[in-house]
Amino acid sequence: MKGLAHDIVTPDVETSSDAYRRRFGGASGRFLLERQTDAVDRLLRGVAGPMRVLEVGGGHGQLTPYLLGCGHEVCVQGSAASCARQIQPLFETHGDRLRFVASDLWSLPFADGAFDLVVAIRLLSHVERWEGLLREMARVSRRMLLVDYASLVGPNVLTPVLFRMKRRIEGNTRPYFCYTGGQLGHRLRALSFDRITVRKQLWAPMGLHRLLSAPSTSSMIEAAGRSLGITRLFGSPGLLLAEK
């Protein structure tokens, strides 16, 4: 991956772009987003609400409709004003419970414990200063923190070897950092989160699902992996919910 451009300071500017949104267009994109939303819903199911929620680097808007649909008050943070473009239509229907703020990812303009839930999706895998980002997210969280991450298991172990192939298949994928749930959990426990729950989204690579572009086939593949326990052991991306 050496020599490939990768913004690790304001990566959410690209994540909130039209080009990135197109990565999740079509049948395969909808399948991947549905899997993500379902995994988040399973983690948050039973949590008392409505809540005050902060989406850090959330200008892609992948979870914003779901969070608003649950009745939560949502603040989306982005590294630049342009990051609000994808969520703009939501202000027309949910303007009373939605706002946007532009700020540095590592210096969030909120008081300690200002939010019940702090979320970062499509972000952690594209920053190098992950510990500082978690620390700042933890600072503004009163109860819970939710992040997704590329798991350092299964096919991702071969990322340095397979990345260029992945890029040829997907066209515009970015380099990414991988983590283990244990690595993230250890850091979050040090930040006073005493309950850690991890849920893996997929066991087959996203690139394969995009190549297939057949949600029914993808569903069968993933159902088999989950029933055999492959997803739990080797799945990625992982979703981690940390609670105080």
Side-chain angles (χ1 to χ4, degrees), residues 2-237:
K2 189 175 182 180
L4 293 175
H6 187 200
D7 182 355
I8 58 174
V9 179
T10 61
D12 60 309
V13 173
E14 181 175 345
T15 308
S16 61
S17 68
D18 290 336
Y20 188 85
R21 189 180 186 88
R22 286 194 290 272
R23 280 175 54 76
F24 291 90
S28 60
R30 287 192 296 274
F31 169 78
L32 294 173
L33 290 180
E34 286 169 3
R35 296 289 299 193
Q36 177 177 267
T37 301
D38 179 69
V40 170
D41 184 67
R42 288 175 183 274
L43 283 173
L44 295 180
R45 193 172 296 169
V47 174
M51 299 185 289
R52 295 194 68 213
V53 181
L54 172 66
E55 283 194 84
V56 180
H60 47 73
Q62 291 183 357
L63 281 184
T64 313
Y66 163 79
L67 293 169
L68 290 168
C70 291
H72 304 313
E73 177 185 335
V74 182
C75 177
V76 176
Q77 180 274 346
S79 293
S82 62
C83 294
R85 183 170 52 248
Q86 303 298 343
I87 63 169
Q88 206 60 45
L90 294 172
F91 284 98
E92 298 179 10
T93 52
H94 300 283
D96 58 329
R97 290 189 289 114
L98 176 64
R99 66 184 177 118
F100 174 85
V101 62
S103 74
D104 183 274
L105 287 169
W106 289 268
S107 184
L108 301 172
F110 306 108
D112 295 358
F115 297 91
D116 300 298
L117 170 65
V118 179
V119 180
I121 298 295
R122 309 288 173 194
L123 181 62
L124 201 61
S125 295
H126 298 293
V127 299
E128 193 168 20
R129 296 161 50 198
W130 64 274
E131 291 181 295
L133 181 60
L134 287 183
R135 183 166 56 249
E136 183 65 357
M137 291 175 62
R139 180 186 67 79
V140 299
S141 172
R142 185 175 69 86
R143 294 172 53 194
M144 293 178 290
L145 190 152
L146 176 67
V147 297
D148 78 335
Y149 63 98
S151 305
L152 190 57
V153 294
N156 281 343
V157 173
L158 300 175
T159 291
V161 177
L162 299 179
F163 178 77
R164 291 187 185 278
M165 182 186 299
K166 173 181 168 68
R167 200 173 213 198
R168 281 197 296 270
I169 294 172
E170 299 189 6
N172 60 350
T173 190
R174 293 179 288 174
Y176 54 92
F177 301 97
C178 297
Y179 310 93
T180 67
Q183 179 184 19
L184 299 176
H186 176 75
R187 184 65 193 131
L188 287 165
R189 287 188 179 91
L191 293 169
S192 300
F193 292 91
D194 54 18
R195 183 181 174 190
I196 306 294
T197 307
V198 172
R199 185 171 182 85
K200 305 290 184 62
Q201 296 180 47
L202 308 163
W203 75 267
M206 283 188 175
L208 174 61
H209 291 301
R210 288 194 169 99
L211 193 62
L212 290 171
S213 192
S216 58
T217 302
S218 289
S219 294
M220 288 189 291
I221 290 171
E222 292 301 329
R226 192 164 293 281
S227 65
L228 293 171
I230 298 173
T231 309
R232 180 177 57 82
L233 294 173
F234 303 112
S236 184

